[in-house]
Amino acid sequence: MKRLTLCASIIIVLVGSSVLTLINIKQSNIILTEKIDKAIDFQKESKTDEALKTVDEIQALWDKYYTTMSFVITSDKMTSISSSVSKLRPLLLLDKAEFYSECESIKFSIKLIYDSEFPYLHSII
Amino acid sequence: MIIVFIRAIILYILIVFCVRLMGKRQIGELQPSELVITIMLSNIATLPIQDTNLPMLMGIIPILTLVSLDIFISSLSLKSRMLRRWISGSPKIIIKDGVLDQKVMKEIRFSVDDVMESLRTCNVFDIADVQFAIVETTGNLNVYTKFDKQPMTPEVMNVKGASKNPPQLIVNDGKLLSQALDSIGFGEGWFNEVLKSKKIELKEIFLMTADESGSVNIVKKEDVRK
């Protein structure tokens, strides 16, 4: 009976933590996407200082996201996003058009991470 | 490199915990579902060790899930004969009244070589000596030989005797096992008397067994032998 109770507890913890992780990824994605959109808007309005501040916030958010998500997500998925995030500041300072493409790339990649973790039928099979 | 080292230690501890959780059935003869779990566990455990890009949780979660599922199904199998038969199958009688059932052999895909090899492991070298043989769900063959081929027992020889419990290990490498001593009906007082009579100390004993009649067998530690 003890063994059964322990196994039931293990299953409940695993299911619970999986659901919580998914919710966490979704919340983090929403916050990151909002920040990126804000940075894009500031850059379009030529508010470079605000854009730079937002990019620094994005970097900080991403560092936190990377640390927590690396428990459940393979590092190669996150390495490309880390690379894109690190390019944002220099591209912004140089006022390069690639800034927008890197922003879109980050948004798409974090959405992909969520989609790959969500139990869609095509993901399971 | 240190990541691989630490992961190997953690996963080793996890696997030992899981095998203990699954119980003695896992360490002994395996049912088909248990064999599947064992193979899967060993493969899954190596993945996070070999590939440091993979989070360790990607190894831990499937291991714990499979072990928990196995325990649930085993527990359900105890209550449901139908489920037990569906998961583990049922034993098959392959030899009855000395006659080999070729239809059963074909059904369980047992060749003649398999049958003969299994009989030899049961110390039977002539199929004519077998009265009854069953292939268990684990694939092992258990044999009941004909009467004139069975080992002689006191009952057959009409020899009467009292059953008694086997000797118990009461000292293990210089440590007294009090529970074992109690189980044979003696206390520490008796034990100390025995040591005194044998002129030996507890720390000098490597192994000591005793039975309910009080007879003892002592093996001294080699470095204190004179």
Side-chain angles (χ1 to χ4, degrees):
Chain A
M1 201 62 203
K2 267 188 215 170
R3 208 167 271 171
L4 264 181
T5 314
L6 180 61
C7 290
S9 314
I10 288 169
I11 295 277
I12 289 167
V13 164
L14 289 177
V15 170
S17 54
S18 304
V19 170
L20 278 172
T21 304
L22 210 53
I23 293 169
N24 195 2
I25 293 173
K26 192 168 174 69
Q27 302 284 30
S28 304
N29 283 2
I30 290 169
I31 296 168
L32 257 175
T33 308
E34 278 172 4
K35 288 281 176 192
I36 291 168
D37 288 337
K38 212 168 148 188
I40 292 169
D41 291 338
F42 281 142
Q43 179 60 2
K44 279 181 180 166
E45 289 164 15
S46 302
K47 291 178 183 174
T48 311
D49 289 339
E50 284 92 345
L52 274 169
K53 196 178 159 194
T54 311
V55 162
D56 290 341
E57 285 169 12
I58 291 169
Q59 181 71 58
L61 262 173
W62 174 251
D63 290 342
K64 194 178 151 195
Y65 185 106
Y66 187 94
T67 309
T68 46
M69 290 304 136
S70 49
F71 281 104
V72 292
I73 297 168
T74 53
S75 61
D76 51 0
K77 278 185 195 171
M78 309 230 279
T79 307
S80 62
I81 303 173
S82 297
S83 171
S84 297
V85 169
S86 65
K87 284 180 198 168
L88 289 179
R89 200 170 215 278
L91 287 170
L92 193 62
L93 285 170
L94 293 168
D95 198 16
K96 293 273 186 190
E98 285 89 354
F99 171 77
Y100 301 104
S101 61
E102 290 294 342
C103 287
E104 292 304 321
S105 166
I106 294 166
K107 279 163 61 178
F108 182 73
S109 298
I110 58 177
K111 184 183 175 297
L112 264 183
I113 286 177
Y114 176 78
D115 287 344
S116 67
E117 293 299 313
F118 194 88
Y120 294 112
L121 186 64
H122 60 264
S123 305
I124 296 168
I125 296 170
Chain B
M1 217 166 92
I2 198 159
I3 292 171
V4 171
F5 174 71
I6 294 169
R7 281 185 176 195
I9 293 171
I10 294 170
L11 284 162
Y12 167 75
I13 293 167
L14 177 69
I15 295 293
V16 167
F17 167 74
C18 288
V19 171
R20 288 286 288 123
L21 190 63
M22 285 191 285
K24 286 187 171 55
R25 280 174 61 194
Q26 193 66 19
I27 300 166
E29 290 178 345
L30 300 173
Q31 294 293 334
S33 61
E34 290 163 348
L35 179 63
V36 165
I37 296 286
T38 308
I39 294 168
M40 287 179 79
L41 283 190
S42 58
N43 283 336
I44 292 167
T46 54
L47 291 173
I49 298 173
Q50 286 174 341
D51 185 359
T52 51
N53 282 327
L54 214 57
M56 208 170 67
L57 279 180
M58 294 299 114
I60 292 173
I61 290 171
I63 287 170
L64 289 175
T65 307
L66 287 172
V67 167
S68 306
L69 269 177
D70 184 56
I71 291 171
F72 271 131
I73 290 179
S74 302
S75 307
L76 283 174
S77 299
L78 285 176
K79 292 179 170 42
S80 164
R81 193 158 178 259
M82 197 171 78
L83 184 64
R84 200 160 55 241
R85 287 183 73 161
W86 185 71
I87 291 170
S88 305
S90 54
K92 299 283 183 204
I93 300 167
I94 200 167
I95 300 174
K96 194 174 179 183
D97 297 328
V99 175
L100 192 59
D101 191 336
Q102 294 181 40
K103 191 177 161 204
V104 169
M105 274 179 70
K106 200 174 172 183
E107 195 185 309
I108 60 174
R109 297 194 309 281
F110 242 58
S111 66
V112 169
D113 292 331
D114 293 332
V115 171
M116 294 311 292
E117 188 186 325
S118 300
L119 286 176
R120 284 194 295 272
T121 58
C122 300
N123 259 335
V124 172
F125 289 81
D126 187 352
I127 203 164
D129 295 345
V130 179
Q131 174 66 25
F132 206 79
I134 296 178
V135 177
E136 307 293 351
T137 54
T138 56
N140 289 335
L141 185 76
N142 281 322
V143 170
Y144 185 75
T145 47
K146 289 182 178 166
F147 179 77
D148 53 352
K149 300 294 176 188
Q150 287 176 6
M152 203 51 64
T153 61
E155 187 187 23
V156 171
M157 305 232 359
N158 223 10
V159 172
K160 302 268 184 248
S163 293
K164 61 176 194 172
N165 290 327
Q168 296 289 319
L169 179 70
I170 57 169
V171 173
N172 182 351
D173 198 13
K175 290 186 181 64
L176 176 64
L177 307 173
S178 308
Q179 215 169 359
L181 194 60
D182 290 339
S183 73
I184 56 170
F186 291 108
E188 283 195 36
W190 169 87
F191 178 74
N192 292 329
E193 286 291 325
V194 167
L195 293 190
K196 217 172 171 181
S197 67
K198 302 276 180 190
K199 293 189 177 88
I200 192 170
E201 288 181 29
L202 177 60
K203 62 181 181 186
E204 293 170 2
I205 300 173
F206 184 63
L207 180 153
M208 178 175 173
T209 60
D211 63 18
E212 288 166 349
S213 65
S215 67
V216 300
N217 187 11
I218 298 174
V219 175
K220 284 189 189 178
K221 285 185 184 176
E222 281 182 356
D223 54 354
V224 296
R225 280 198 179 157
K226 288 168 188 142

